[in-house]
Amino acid sequence: MKIAFIGLGNMGGGMAANLVKAGHEVRAFDLSEPALAAAREAGCQTFGTAKEACATAEAVVSMLPNGQIVRQVYENEVIGHAPQGAILLDCSTIDVATARAVIAAAEGAGYAMVDAPVSGGIAAANGGTLTFMVGGTGEAFARAKPILDAMGKAVIHAGDAGNGQAAKICNNMLLAIHMIGTCEAFTMAQKLGLDAQTFYDISSVSSGQCWSMTSYCPVPGVGPTTPADNDYQGGFAAGLMLKDLRLAMEAAEGAGASVELGAHAKAIYEAFAKDNAGLDFSAVIKSL
Ligand code: NAD
């Protein structure tokens, strides 16, 4: 299949490479020349504009930094420039309202489109093991799924347009809350004279167990190997977690949902990310 890929950064670069590995003809575009060079190395054809990349594509995949850029790229470079029958897939993490507006514009112009944000970081993007949460019609989902399968281990239909983004920010709000809770518990255990490994051994098989503890432990040397064991380098940056929490708070306000712990988590990451935006989000333990 001819697939245009727009946004070849930390995530998009590996995702485009996996589409090539699956046998697709990938027509890539990014504003950054080094990103384009890496895409050529991975077997993509590269173009000088998004319009040219889309020109004969049967599908368009995008992985861009934020909602404003997604809206600009689709309005100016994709809608009306990709062939009419193309399926459009935006995998960026953006606000629910923009996702719904861009999909409505695409559908108005006769395209099928889904929002398909991902869970999993750069390693999962490179390894083709992302989880995609997809919003859109059943028909659009059925067309998008085989393309997403080439880049991920799980592709789940979350419902109508925008529901992929809704699932993503609800999930990441919960992740932020249980990461901070896990960090507080380890810090308090230590202050009460409990060794971190001993607390892990007990809590990981008790009711305090959660993903932040047993899959992504914020304490170095305890549990599986995590960014904590690499001085909190790599992993999921605190700045990106803050971005997702801001999106979650916007969405909660729009929906009239009460999210007191989410709001508190956002305040904690706001303070932490001022000087530590590039560190893994589990490094928030240093600030407690
Ligand atoms: P990135 O900054 O590394 O990549 C974004 C790319 O988009 C860059 O190469 C940039 O040059 C390109 N770009 C910007 N404007 C463009 C335009 N108008 N046209 C074409 N290209 C343009 O970011 P990333 O880490 O790859 O993240 C991409 C998206 O994935 C974000 O929405 C992010 O929230 C989400 N995400 C990231 C992670 C992660 O761990 N990095 C995990 C899950 C989701």
Side-chain angles (χ1 to χ4, degrees):
M1 196 174 196
K2 274 191 192 176
I3 302 179
F5 203 111
I6 308 171
L8 307 155
N10 289 323
M11 298 291 289
M15 292 163 69
N18 284 324
L19 289 176
V20 172
K21 280 186 206 150
H24 296 295
E25 182 183 326
V26 179
R27 303 165 59 83
F29 173 70
D30 194 290
L31 295 175
S32 140
E33 188 43 54
L36 287 172
R40 280 192 291 275
E41 193 77 8
C44 302
Q45 238 185 301
T46 59
F47 293 84
T49 64
K51 281 182 198 167
E52 289 170 76
C54 290
T56 61
E58 296 158 87
V60 178
V61 181
S62 53
M63 195 54 167
L64 293 162
N66 61 48
Q68 202 188 348
I69 294 174
V70 168
R71 188 191 279 267
Q72 278 168 4
V73 166
Y74 277 86
E75 282 180 356
N76 303 332
E77 318 254 357
V78 180
I79 296 173
H81 301 282
Q84 272 286 320
I87 167 102
L88 315 180
L89 303 84
D90 179 42
C91 298
S92 326
T93 301
I94 67 170
D95 60 287
V96 175
T98 299
R100 289 186 174 148
V102 172
I103 293 178
E107 287 176 347
Y111 297 92
M113 181 167 183
V114 295
D115 55 302
V118 306
S119 175
I122 299 163
N126 290 333
T129 57
L130 293 166
T131 293
F132 289 91
M133 31 211 119
V134 187
T137 65
E139 195 190 325
F141 174 74
R143 290 181 62 196
K145 187 170 182 303
I147 299 168
L148 298 173
D149 279 337
M151 301 184 282
K153 66 169 169 26
V155 179
I156 300 161
H157 192 194
D160 292 341
N163 280 21
Q165 299 295 351
K168 164 81 186 174
I169 54 170
C170 290
N171 179 72
N172 277 22
M173 181 179 79
L174 177 59
L175 170 61
I177 292 168
H178 63 65
M179 176 55 79
I180 293 168
T182 302
C183 291
E184 282 189 353
F186 271 108
T187 305
M188 182 169 148
Q190 192 196 5
K191 290 197 168 164
L192 291 170
L194 205 55
D195 167 62
Q197 183 64 52
T198 307
F199 176 62
Y200 178 89
D201 291 343
I202 295 166
S203 198
S204 64
V205 293
S206 300
S207 45
Q209 186 277 337
C210 63
W211 187 89
S212 291
M213 174 176 285
T214 49
S215 294
Y216 213 91
C217 189
V219 180
V222 177
T225 303
T226 64
D229 299 306
N230 190 26
D231 215 8
Y232 302 97
Q233 302 299 315
F236 181 45
L240 284 176
M241 174 53 93
L242 179 58
K243 171 193 166 184
D244 291 357
L245 287 169
R246 285 183 172 140
L247 293 175
M249 292 308 103
E250 254 177 64
E253 200 177 310
S258 163
V259 286
E260 287 181 34
L261 290 182
H264 200 154
K266 178 184 154 241
I268 289 172
Y269 274 104
E270 217 145 31
F272 180 69
K274 266 192 193 121
D275 296 321
N276 304 290
L279 288 186
D280 180 71
F281 81 113
S282 65
V284 73
I285 195 168
K286 294 180 180 203
S287 70
L288 299 176

